[in-house]
Structures are given as structure tokens and as C-alpha cells.
Amino acid sequence: MPPDAPHGPADGSAPAADTDPAPAAAPAAAAVALAPRPHGIEVTGLRRAFGTVKALDGADLVARAGAVTALVGPNGSGKTTLLLVLAGLLVPDSGSVRVAGHDPVTDNAGARARTGWMPDAFGTWDSLTAREVLATFADAYRVDRATASARIEELLATVHLTEYADQPAAVLSRGQKQRLGLARALVHDPQVLLLDEPASGLDPRSRVDLRILLRRLADEGRTVLVSSHVLSELDEMADDAVFLSRGRTVAGLSEADVATGRRTWHVRALSLTELTAWLDATGVAYRPDGATRAADAPTAVAGGVLVDVDGEAGAAALLRDAVAAGVPVVSSAPAAGALEQAYLALEEERR
Ligand SMILES: Nc1ncnc2c1ncn2[C@@H]1O[C@H](COP(=O)(O)OP(=O)(O)OP(=O)(O)O)[C@@H](O)[C@H]1O
């Protein structure tokens, strides 16, 4: 997210250092009234420009209640802008948005009372303790004191911060602050959870915990929309995926395509030059893998390429022919998981 992103809430009501969702006017009953949970997120034709930059340029999205949906896209594709609109913190230029059945533009308090928001950069009031941070947010959401108090203890335990409950937030590590941010997003028991890069800064154990928690929240019927660049992680936790490219939603590969159809394989040889010369000679299309692209070196002596093949039979034939032609192939394997496959199949358009 760019540093000049509009970090204040649309109504300017919340005082925290980061994007704070606490709606001053959230009705008390709405803040905790969760059942039934029929609505997820529905976005149609969403547009938002910053000057000449079209951060969102006609994005469509559906995130189901009871599912974890991955929001995937290159840097600058509009993920944070979309999440800010959904969180009711940024007004779109046009398009329609429903979050838990409420429009964050025309019914900001109603939508925000049902939405938990965890921004990618999380600020705290450093002099407040972890427990006080959560209590302040519970208050802002008008959760009654008894409910809030029980819920805060439960959340502190869930994110493994009980022993830090009475420490000032200033002493928390980055990962611990991140976990406090997750607890903060859940303090009013929201129906919809929006998480921008929630795993960044978390250690491996905490990442596993996050995955389990998000699954549980979805199984309870909530809508969970999560953006991350760590596709292998999303692969394991997401039921659905939405791809953004230059502010638009683009179609990714379906699960069936990935499992049985044309797939990307990573082929590596002792000599990249020999491998690419052979691929050129045989007319097989390839593209450099990430590491090779970084080096951007046709002169590289070792490295790999990505090749699209028809299923495992296609991969076996490619390997057989390469070895028969004397190419010093070191390895040949599918290039990672389903989401990464779908992502690599997109026209990559970083900005
Ligand atoms: N407040 C702003 N002022 C000017 N340009 C902005 C602002 N917010 C976003 N943009 C631009 O809009 C585009 C989308 O930005 P956004 O932060 O939504 O992307 P992103 O997909 O979250 O990127 P990343 O993966 O790098 O976090 C970028 O080109 C960005 O520079």
C-alpha cells in the first residue's frame, strides 16, 4: 500500500494510528447480532481512481459466507484499495458493494459493525496494554462490558497473548502486534473478516494457528477474505480465489484445469543455455522462472524455465526428449500449488 493511502476512516471518527474501523455510531444490537449469516461480500463494477491511477477499474467479486476467499494479485493491482472500500474506509467512485448485506457507502455504520478489518500495517496505542487496546475497540463497537470482558480473555488466549495482556503494546514484537491486530479485528464478533497480508511477520507456528483460526471462523459461517502474496499459504487455507490485475478481476484457472489439464512445470538444467537452446530448436515455448528472471541472463550457466505441458504425460515426454538430446536436466517438477499455477497463468502486470 502506498504511504499516502487514505488511512483514516471515512467518517474521521477513530483516533488510532492505522486504519481503524470502529464506528462511533454502530448500533449495540447490530454489533453482536450474528445469526443467521446469509450474506457474504458482493462487489460489482467497482471503480476508484487516485488522480490518473485507476486503482480499481471495474472489479467484481463474490466472497461466500462460510468460506475463506483468497484475494490475489501483483503489487499495485488494487487489493488494498478494494479491502479499504469493503471496510468502509474509502468511498469508491462508482460500482456497487454489499458487505454482510450492507452498503459501506450508504450504511457505513451498519456495514462496519459487521466487519472485522486487519490492515497490512498495524499501529497500536503503544502506552495501552494489549487488553486495553482490545477493550477500547470493544467499547468503540458498543459491545457491552460483560460480553467484551469474556471475549477479550478468549481472544487473548486464541492469539497466544494472555501472558502479555498487561504489557504495554510498545513491548510487543512485530508478530505479536500482528496477532493483537487479529484479535482486535474479531473483538465485536464480526460476520465478515477482511485481512490484508495477515501472515506477514508471523513465525511458522503462528501461521499454522492463523490458518486453523480462519478455517474455524469460516466453518462458523463467517465470510473471510484474505490477501497475501504467499500463495502456498493461501493454497492451504482458501476455498475460493479472486485474482486482481490492474484493478480488474480476472479469471484464474479452475481447480480442474490445474489438476488435470495443461500445467506449468519447472525444468532445471546444469546449463540454462543448453536447455533454452534445445527448447528453441524444438519450438517448445518457455518462460524464465523467478530466479532466472532476476538474473535475466541468457548467459547463465545454471537455472530453470517454466514450460506449459499437457498433464503428466506431456511432462514425461518433454523430459525424455530433453535427456535424449543430451540436455543436462537436473529436475523437472510441477511449479508449486494450484493458486500459484493460476497466478503464473495470468498476464503478470506489476505496477
Ligand atoms: N492514496 C493513494 N494515492 C495515490 N495512489 C494510490 C493511493 N492508494 C493506492 N494508490 C495506487 O493505486 C494502485 C493500487 O494500489 P493498492 O495499494 O491497492 O495495490 P495492492 O494490490 O494492495 O499492492 P501491494 O500488493 O503492493 O500491497 C497502485 O498503483 C497505487 O500506487
Side-chain angles (χ1 to χ4, degrees), residues 90-168:
L90 181 66
V91 176
D93 296 331
S94 61
S96 111
V97 187
R98 287 286 178 284
V99 178
H102 295 256
D103 184 335
V105 178
T106 58
D107 180 13
N108 193 267
R112 285 165 70 182
R114 292 164 179 79
T115 306
W117 161 239
M118 181 178 172
D120 61 348
F122 172 60
T124 57
W125 293 290
D126 277 351
S127 58
L128 295 189
T129 67
R131 186 182 275 114
E132 286 167 345
V133 168
L134 297 182
T136 305
F137 272 84
D139 257 5
Y141 280 108
R142 310 283 161 89
V143 182
D144 73 74
R145 289 282 160 89
T147 307
S149 157
R151 188 148 180 81
I152 287 167
E153 296 316 308
E154 186 193 321
L155 283 170
L156 285 167
T158 301
V159 299
H160 304 289
L161 285 178
T162 303
E163 70 175 288
Y164 292 93
D166 297 313
Q167 298 282 334

Side-chain angles (χ1 to χ4, degrees), residues 185-266:
L186 291 167
V187 80
H188 54 306
D189 203 8
Q191 190 169 334
V192 171
L193 203 52
L194 308 170
L195 308 165
D196 199 1
E197 297 280 349
S200 83
L202 295 186
D203 61 32
R205 177 74 243 172
S206 303
R207 282 170 187 242
V208 172
D209 288 346
L210 174 71
R211 215 159 58 214
I212 294 168
L213 177 60
L214 295 189
R215 172 50 48 207
R216 197 188 84 202
L217 292 167
D219 288 347
E220 290 169 0
R222 291 170 226 263
T223 306
V224 181
L225 182 62
V226 50
S227 88
S228 172
H229 290 291
V230 187
L231 298 184
S232 54
E233 217 159 62
L234 287 179
D235 240 339
E236 290 178 40
M237 68 168 95
D239 304 294
D240 302 325
V242 173
F243 294 86
L244 272 185
S245 177
R246 291 194 169 269
R248 290 178 191 213
T249 327
V250 291
L253 289 183
S254 72
E255 292 278 331
D257 287 338
V258 171
T260 60
R262 204 158 166 77
R263 289 193 69 175
T264 303
W265 283 59
H266 183 249

Side-chain angles (χ1 to χ4, degrees), residues 1-2 4-6 50 53 55 74-81 229 351:
M1 191 173 76
D4 58 340
F50 297 101
V53 177
N75 291 140
S77 55
K79 300 181 296 296
T80 298
T81 306
H229 290 291
R351 63 179 172 185

Side-chain angles (χ1 to χ4, degrees), residues 293-347:
R293 186 177 308 168
D296 198 26
T299 53
V301 290
V305 293
L306 298 171
V307 183
D308 293 330
V309 296
D310 287 324
E312 295 194 337
L318 183 79
L319 180 60
R320 181 197 60 217
D321 294 349
V323 171
V327 180
V329 176
V330 174
S331 64
S332 173
L339 267 181
E340 195 160 310
Q341 290 284 311
Y343 186 93
L344 291 171
L346 296 176
E347 187 69 22

